[in-house]
Amino acid sequence: MAEYSAFSLLANALKGNKDWKPAWRKPDPKASYDVIIIGGGGHGLATAYYLAKEHGITNVAVLEKGWLGSGNVGRNTTAVRSNYLLPANTRFYEHSMKLWEGLSHELNYNVMFSQRGCLNLAHTPAQFDDYARRGNAMRHLGVDAELMTPAQIKRLIPALDISDSARFPVIGGLMQRRAGTARHDAVAWGYARGADRRGVDIIENCEVTGFLRDGDRVTGVSTSRGDIRAKKVAVAVAGSTGRVMQLAGIETMPIESHVLQAFVTESLKPFIDTVVTFGMGHFYMSQSDKGGLVYGGDIDGYNSYAQRGNLPIVDEVMSEMLALFPGLARVRMLRSWGGVCDMSMDGSPIITTGPLPGMYLNCGWCYGGFKATPASGWTFAWTIAKDEPHDFNAPFTLDRFYRGLVIDDKGQGANPRLH
Amino acid sequence: MLITCPYCGPRDVIEFTYQGDGNRERPDPASQNFEAWNAYVYDRLNPAGDHNEIWQHSGGCRAHLRVVRNTLTHEILSVAFVRGDHAPATRRKAEDKA
């Protein structure tokens, strides 16, 4: 197994980089496992890693329909933050942030976690007050947050239009300095290697086509590579949750699948060294280590499994970018892509036992799943190992919708396209 | 994506507002069946394939439309008025008076 160190980098460099070993095996599926995890994305791989590392459960298979990391973990815009208002969210995402801070070291894999900060811009006094409230709520729970004035913001991001003649003048912002970005593919690869070296089988090109049942209890899955039995079956399939749950006979879920588009420009010289979000629409942007500006905005707003979007949102996102950064008008867009998000009814995730006996469900990440990857895997592994939630994910049950305990950070109600 | 409004003809999707899953049935307002209300508010079919949904032509005739659309290909298979196959009520009244 390839270990990374200053010595191994140097030794392999001198030998022409011909001796690197694959980072994970390509095993054939066994007849049965203690735990099967459906979905080889960030959350599924992190779950397998923490199952093995924290709970000693190593007879585990991760089943991936395509190749590893071909879904949302490779399609997101890499931002990581924990600037939420409601305590359930703040605690959960701050746990994630703490795991991020040690992740490269823990995995011996450089996930290029960069705490370059995340700044939310305010354009009205009411919005600024709202950010002050959110910042106070965060600091009450030990999360860093600071309000910034337009002059401070201009020093941080010189290219930003903060003039009074801007369509939406900037009157301040809320900054989380510990937020930032991470190399999304490396997160998948690092967790995959970490899980693999602890004995987890990562099985690619293995599509789940149905569930094996004994009465109500789920006892395994049928796949394109044969039936596989398991004591516990965990589902972490992001945008395909609706589709996979229908295979289990569950027709409806408090979830809609929507497509979110993202964009990247040609490479520029250093232009912006933080993540910035626009408060009057929905727009966020950072600069990748290669130099491209990576940005996105709203979901397209209607159900879609297409992994590609439509033009009106492209148009809208570009207009919002130019409202903030008029100087980018002639920069070329290199490419755009779409990922399928399972938008939940309150904008918060679901990490829970059930809904069937023997089954465990991790879904409803809306378009914020990447930042949650470490904590999602950590709490989901806990839930699978102990058949009960950790305090961090206890509020994120499936039945919260029916018990009046929704976690609606944006206050948008049961309307997925607005979260 | 073009949606062919039965009243206005083919129009760009930006003229329309998505109103979600068209399979939901609102319970009787007097009903105290909590399960039915919960299902109405929170549960969605979310199929990968043909989806029965409601759109409003909010930037046009404002009619509510029942649209069958494929969620994998964005192809629109059918469009009809939600309240039967006729033109919007306001317009009809104006014509009746004339």
Side-chain angles (χ1 to χ4, degrees):
Chain A
M1 204 71 65
E3 287 289 339
Y4 301 126
S5 65
F7 175 76
S8 74
L9 288 174
L10 181 65
N12 278 282
L14 293 173
K15 286 190 279 182
N17 285 312
K18 287 179 199 141
D19 289 343
W20 288 115
K21 303 281 185 296
W24 57 88
R25 298 165 292 132
K26 302 264 182 196
D28 288 322
K30 294 193 274 189
S32 75
Y33 289 92
D34 288 342
V35 178
I36 285 176
I37 298 166
I38 306 174
H43 292 213
L45 294 165
T47 304
Y49 173 79
Y50 291 115
L51 267 177
K53 176 170 177 269
E54 302 287 337
H55 306 284
I57 299 173
T58 57
N59 186 21
V60 175
V62 177
L63 308 183
E64 168 54 45
K65 175 179 73 172
W67 63 93
L68 188 136
S70 57
N72 289 354
V73 74
R75 288 169 187 271
N76 58 74
T77 44
T78 78
V80 172
R81 57 186 175 85
S82 60
N83 52 353
Y84 282 79
L85 173 69
L86 300 179
N89 280 332
T90 310
R91 286 196 193 99
F92 179 85
Y93 287 105
E94 180 57 15
H95 178 56
S96 206
M97 183 64 80
K98 286 180 177 145
L99 292 171
W100 277 113
E101 286 173 330
L103 197 60
S104 291
H105 182 76
E106 157 141 13
L107 294 175
N108 172 241
Y109 206 107
N110 186 2
V111 301
M112 296 165 76
F113 181 52
S114 161
Q115 290 178 297
R116 57 185 70 185
C118 177
L119 173 67
N120 303 136
L121 298 174
H123 309 270
T124 66
Q127 194 174 28
F128 193 62
D129 289 350
D130 186 49
Y131 284 164
R133 179 184 175 220
R134 172 142 56 99
N136 285 336
M138 288 162 64
R139 290 172 72 142
H140 270 300
L141 290 170
V143 183
D144 68 305
E146 64 189 87
L147 286 170
M148 293 181 79
T149 63
Q152 288 174 305
I153 291 170
K154 185 70 180 174
R155 273 199 299 278
L156 179 70
I157 311 175
L160 192 66
D161 181 5
I162 64 155
S163 64
D164 289 343
S165 61
R167 175 68 182 84
F168 299 104
V170 173
I171 67 159
L174 180 66
M175 165 62 109
Q176 187 187 14
R177 299 251 182 214
R178 285 164 62 243
T181 59
R183 168 85 167 103
H184 50 4
D185 295 317
V187 174
W189 300 332
Y191 273 124
R193 194 188 61 161
D196 178 272
R197 74 157 60 136
R198 283 171 174 78
V200 171
D201 284 356
I202 295 166
I203 301 163
E204 296 169 86
N205 301 307
C206 179
E207 182 175 359
V208 169
T209 53
F211 286 84
L212 306 177
R213 305 276 285 269
D214 179 8
D216 259 359
R217 172 164 282 275
V218 172
T219 57
V221 291
S222 13
T223 76
S224 53
R225 297 178 66 175
D227 288 358
I228 311 174
R229 300 208 159 264
K231 291 178 193 148
K232 299 180 176 185
V233 176
V235 181
V237 294
S240 296
T241 302
R243 211 171 354 184
V244 170
M245 296 313 281
Q246 276 161 16
L247 297 175
I250 295 167
E251 291 296 325
T252 59
M253 290 285 294
I255 277 177
E256 283 181 1
S257 296
H258 287 244
V259 70
L260 176 66
Q261 300 186 66
F263 312 89
V264 63
T265 66
E266 58 189 329
S267 287
L268 305 179
K269 287 187 175 181
F271 178 78
I272 178 173
D273 60 359
T274 189
V275 182
V276 65
T277 79
F278 178 44
M280 284 319 279
H282 189 180
F283 171 81
Y284 50 92
M285 185 175 87
S286 63
Q287 188 167 17
S288 82
D289 297 316
K290 270 196 300 195
L293 298 171
V294 181
Y295 55 102
D298 266 325
I299 53 176
D300 277 28
Y302 39 84
N303 291 48
S304 173
Y305 285 89
Q307 291 189 329
R308 66 182 168 81
N310 264 307
L311 206 51
I313 290 289
V314 181
D315 196 43
E316 187 182 307
V317 171
M318 299 308 144
S319 342
E320 293 184 9
M321 177 163 86
L322 294 187
L324 288 177
F325 298 102
L328 292 176
R330 301 186 64 185
V331 171
R332 281 169 295 192
M333 188 173 91
L334 197 65
R335 58 197 171 91
S336 72
W337 62 95
V340 181
C341 313
D342 43 345
M343 305 299 296
S344 67
M345 291 290 143
D346 61 358
S348 293
I350 295 162
I351 314 171
T352 191
T353 54
L356 297 172
M359 185 188 264
Y360 303 79
L361 181 60
N362 177 325
C363 66
W365 292 99
C366 300
Y367 39 80
F370 178 65
K371 67 175 115 50
T373 305
S376 167
W378 195 91
T379 54
F380 198 33
W382 178 292
T383 305
I384 295 164
K386 298 180 189 290
D387 282 309
E388 61 180 28
H390 186 273
D391 283 350
F392 285 132
N393 67 313
F396 298 112
T397 54
L398 186 56
D399 68 354
R400 69 174 185 269
F401 298 102
Y402 315 114
R403 295 169 59 221
L405 299 171
V406 293
I407 306 164
D408 189 348
D409 221 276
K410 283 172 87 180
Q412 300 280 29
N415 197 338
R417 73 189 153 89
L418 299 181
H419 281 292
Chain B
M1 206 159 80
L2 287 178
I3 297 178
T4 304
C5 172
Y7 191 71
C8 308
R11 298 295 184 91
D12 193 286
V13 68
I14 57 169
E15 291 188 10
F16 297 83
T17 307
Y18 185 54
Q19 305 203 320
D21 191 337
N23 299 292
R24 296 187 298 153
E25 275 188 41
R26 190 184 178 88
D28 179 338
S31 161
Q32 294 187 9
N33 181 342
F34 294 117
E35 284 189 3
W37 278 109
N38 279 333
Y40 171 70
V41 175
Y42 293 119
D43 290 346
R44 301 288 188 274
L45 272 180
N46 198 25
D50 295 348
H51 188 219
N52 169 3
E53 50 201 31
I54 307 294
W55 291 72
Q56 186 186 13
H57 194 184
S58 45
C61 65
R62 302 197 62 78
H64 290 268
L65 307 172
R66 184 173 297 282
V67 176
V68 179
R69 189 179 59 91
N70 188 303
T71 59
L72 287 162
T73 62
H74 295 164
E75 183 190 3
I76 294 189
L77 298 146
S78 71
V79 185
F81 290 118
V82 169
R83 289 179 186 278
D85 186 16
H86 56 68
T90 49
R91 178 75 182 208
R92 283 214 310 175
K93 271 180 200 158
E95 281 171 352
D96 288 348
K97 280 177 193 163

